[in-house]
Amino acid sequence: MVSRTFRTRAMAATVAVLALGLAACGSSGSGDSSTDAATGGGDSGDLINVGFSQVGAESGWRAANTKSIQDTLTKDNGFDLKFSDAQQKQENQIQAIRSYIAQGVDYIAFSPVVESGWDAVLEEAKQANIPVILTDRAVDSEDKSLYVTFIGSDFVEEGKRIGEWVNDNVATEPINVVELQGTTGSAPAIDRKQGFEDATKGNPNVKIIASQTGNFTRAEGKTVMEGFLQANPDIDLVYAHNDDMALGAIEAIEAAGKKPGTDIKIVSIDGVKDGMQALADGKINYIVECNPLLGPDLADIIKTLHSGGTVEPRIVTHDDAFDQAAAKEALPTRQY
Ligand code: GZL
């Protein structure tokens, strides 16, 4: 999650704002102090208007991310959240952001489905004086003034951690690797591929024999894996950029009469419940987590900004990693 320093600072700012809010409520005798106290900034009773454009509903990770945002940015917590699902289409996200600008929201937050093509619409938000917060995925805009901060995991590091585990636990002899890439052009797909290659390029035992996008979905991951199996008789390891594609690959491997996790090893990223269950069951061999629970930190960031505070331009969320034994231990208490 967000660095301890950031949260301490945010909590201090929030406490100060709450104290001011309660004092104002007491002196003015106005209505619902819980709403006033929750927002602190602006007139009493105002909610903070936030427009959020979500990538889609393509994976278990996305569902958990959406739930975290919608469960946190509530009216009881001082927010009026406008939420849209772009069905993994950039044009839908751009349209949603323009709609939020037209509605005059206080803040815009979004998870960019791909890295490129955002400068124009972000410039429009900037001209409208609406601060933009990137969550989960980054954009490749050179102009860093187009958004206030980017909160999300370090995808290159995730790919590197996978590669390092493969070096130490599988590629102690020559192995043929197939890679199920995430959505083409998305930050996690670009960076997870880079990280894995950075970690394994010095290991002559690792040979990537095929690499293709499965668009982060279980169905497309299964279809691509079926193609890999038909074209390559000797696959030793699948590197899936997310659990949903890994779960699709498991279905394809089993349909081909092979044992996932044994005949063909699988490594993946996310750590969603279905992925962790497959890991505990021995069908996946290693998972690096990508924490989707960004709602509380997004709320902290907005409340800090709304009370006149500042936030770091890059906030890296913490990710754990799990082998099969660790998955068995962690499953009972997983939040997603
Ligand atoms: C990563 C996120 C990715 C997940 C996928 O932060 O953007 O998108 O790894 C999801 O499961 O579809």
Side-chain angles (χ1 to χ4, degrees):
M1 300 308 275
V2 175
S3 70
R4 194 177 304 283
T5 310
F6 168 77
R7 291 192 68 83
T8 306
R9 210 179 298 145
M11 291 309 291
T14 304
V15 168
V17 164
L18 283 173
L20 284 173
L22 287 170
C25 291
S27 58
S28 65
S30 65
D32 175 5
S33 60
S34 64
T35 304
D36 301 350
T39 56
D43 300 331
S44 68
D46 278 353
L47 296 174
I48 303 175
N49 285 287
V50 179
F52 190 95
S53 169
Q54 180 61 292
V55 165
E58 74 281 3
S59 62
W61 189 97
R62 191 62 57 195
N65 180 247
T66 290
K67 185 175 187 308
S68 177
I69 290 158
Q70 292 181 331
D71 287 355
T72 309
L73 274 67
T74 60
K75 286 187 164 52
D76 286 348
N77 196 18
F79 294 97
D80 180 0
L81 176 66
K82 297 165 176 54
F83 188 94
S84 61
D85 171 339
Q87 294 164 342
Q88 287 189 288
K89 293 182 174 64
Q90 181 174 29
E91 60 269 25
N92 290 349
Q93 288 200 287
I94 291 172
Q95 185 180 352
I97 291 169
R98 287 197 165 117
S99 164
Y100 297 145
I101 294 169
Q103 295 175 63
V105 298
D106 298 311
Y107 301 87
I108 289 170
F110 75 115
S111 172
V113 61
V114 293
E115 280 192 339
S116 305
W118 302 99
D119 286 36
V121 72
L122 294 181
E123 183 61 35
E124 291 165 32
K126 183 179 176 182
Q127 293 307 316
N129 292 314
I130 300 175
V132 173
I133 296 150
L134 301 183
T135 69
D136 164 32
R137 297 184 183 179
V139 298
D140 62 8
S141 301
E142 295 294 323
D143 182 355
K144 302 304 180 193
S145 74
L146 293 175
Y147 54 91
V148 175
T149 185
F150 162 40
I151 176 170
S153 296
D154 179 339
F155 303 132
V156 173
E157 184 61 24
E158 291 171 342
K160 279 178 69 176
R161 289 170 76 176
I162 289 281
E164 287 161 358
W165 187 88
V166 168
N167 285 336
D168 296 343
N169 296 276
V170 186
T172 48
E173 58 189 19
I175 59 167
N176 291 327
V177 179
V178 294
E179 180 180 26
L180 293 169
Q181 292 185 40
T183 302
T184 302
S186 69
I190 294 166
D191 292 352
R192 286 171 182 169
K193 179 172 178 48
Q194 186 62 56
F196 182 83
E197 287 170 2
D198 289 349
T200 59
K201 63 190 172 195
N203 182 346
N205 286 333
V206 175
K207 185 180 179 194
I208 300 175
I209 60 172
S211 181
Q212 187 178 332
T213 183
N215 204 23
F216 283 132
T217 70
R218 191 178 298 205
E220 291 169 86
K222 179 181 179 183
T223 301
V224 173
M225 189 66 207
E226 286 166 348
F228 285 162
L229 288 163
Q230 282 156 14
N232 307 281
D234 300 324
I235 297 171
D236 300 296
L237 179 106
V238 179
Y239 168 35
H241 287 188
N242 83 328
D243 292 351
D244 289 72
M245 294 190 292
L247 293 162
I250 286 170
E251 291 179 35
I253 292 167
E254 289 176 332
K258 297 191 175 188
K259 281 192 74 176
T262 306
D263 300 332
I264 297 179
K265 290 187 168 43
I266 300 176
V267 291
S268 180
I269 297 173
D270 273 354
V272 296
K273 186 130 356 227
D274 289 350
M276 294 289 278
Q277 188 61 60
L279 178 60
D281 295 344
K283 295 185 178 182
I284 292 179
N285 300 86
Y286 188 66
I287 292 181
V288 170
E289 180 187 50
C290 178
N291 195 322
L293 307 181
L294 301 179
D297 293 315
L298 177 59
D300 283 351
I301 288 166
I302 292 173
K303 287 188 175 178
T304 298
L305 297 173
H306 207 60
S307 60
T310 57
V311 297
E312 298 295 322
R314 176 70 174 101
I315 301 168
V316 181
T317 48
H318 173 73
D319 294 329
D320 288 321
F322 302 86
D323 60 17
Q324 291 169 352
K328 289 190 181 100
E329 196 175 317
L331 259 173
T333 57
R334 290 284 292 169
Q335 291 182 63
Y336 63 95

